[in-house]
Amino acid sequence: MAKKESQTKSFILRVDAATMNAIEAWAADEFRSTNGQLQWIITEALRKAHRLPKKQKDETTEQ
């Protein structure tokens, strides 16, 4: 099985201290990293707004 390439992009995000403290506490409560928590928050917001791209079926998947 071929390894799927990661298509993540890095960017800088400036957040005020109180917001960052809340995100870090939430991440700890959920046993996630701060980065993982931010990714989850963004993904959930996009999903709820119906703005995530539709998933395509992998053409190489065995049937």
Side-chain angles (χ1 to χ4, degrees), residues 1-37:
M1 219 183 245
K3 196 174 192 180
K4 189 175 182 180
E5 275 190 45
S6 174
Q7 294 185 6
T8 60
K9 294 184 178 185
S10 299
F11 69 98
I12 296 172
L13 175 65
R14 290 177 179 85
V15 180
D16 65 85
T19 301
M20 194 62 190
N21 289 339
I23 292 168
E24 289 170 340
W26 190 7
D29 291 345
E30 300 283 330
F31 302 105
R32 291 188 180 107
S33 66
T34 302
N35 186 68
Q37 188 68 22

Side-chain angles (χ1 to χ4, degrees), residues 14 17 31 41 45 48 51 56:
R14 290 177 179 85
F31 302 105
I41 291 167
K48 288 178 182 177
R51 295 198 172 257
Q56 296 178 0

Side-chain angles (χ1 to χ4, degrees), residues 33-52:
S33 66
T34 302
N35 186 68
Q37 188 68 22
L38 286 166
Q39 288 178 324
W40 180 83
I41 291 167
I42 293 167
T43 301
E44 282 298 297
L46 290 169
R47 184 185 60 77
K48 288 178 182 177
H50 304 285
R51 295 198 172 257
L52 280 177

